[in-house]
Amino acid sequence: LFSPPPLPSPSPKMSEVDTEVHSSDSGASLTQPQQTGTLKKGAYVMLKGNPCKIVDYSTAKVGKHGAAKAHIGGIDIFTGKRVEEIHSTGHNVDVPLVSRAT
């Protein structure tokens, strides 16, 4: 004769499941926001997700339909490649917290 397959055991309820959350992060950020209009040559900024030293910075005047723009050119501090971005001077960009090894 044919017997039906056994029924699967019911999945545990959420209150019965032991869960642990581990975090190895101290919660400190490696960057801080800074307004684009306050950046200077020689400072550090995140361009295209990479920390860069600013080597070229120029601003364009306010146009008929928009805010002033800042053209930022930098050198990636790890690879040495040139990176460029354009941002509104009133917007915030991430600035890496850079410390030099002595």
Side-chain angles (χ1 to χ4, degrees):
L1 294 171
F2 176 74
S3 64
L7 295 174
S9 62
S11 61
K13 295 179 182 173
M14 193 60 136
S15 62
E16 296 173 353
V17 177
D18 290 331
T19 58
E20 291 184 37
V21 178
H22 296 283
S23 177
S24 62
D25 188 9
S26 66
S29 176
L30 299 177
T31 62
Q32 64 185 13
Q34 186 173 345
Q35 197 170 21
T36 306
T38 63
L39 297 172
K40 306 283 183 208
K41 279 186 182 180
Y44 295 96
V45 67
M46 296 295 287
L47 298 177
K48 301 194 187 224
N50 299 321
C52 300
K53 183 173 184 176
I54 299 174
V55 294
D56 183 36
Y57 180 87
S58 61
T59 56
K61 292 184 180 179
V62 177
K64 183 177 179 182
H65 297 291
K69 302 281 189 216
H71 178 266
I72 306 167
I75 303 292
D76 187 315
I77 63 174
F78 295 122
T79 64
K81 291 184 181 178
R82 183 164 175 84
V83 184
E84 296 183 4
E85 281 190 8
I86 297 174
H87 292 280
S88 294
T89 56
H91 289 170
N92 288 339
V93 291
D94 287 331
V95 176
L97 302 174
V98 178
S99 60
R100 292 183 164 238
T102 56

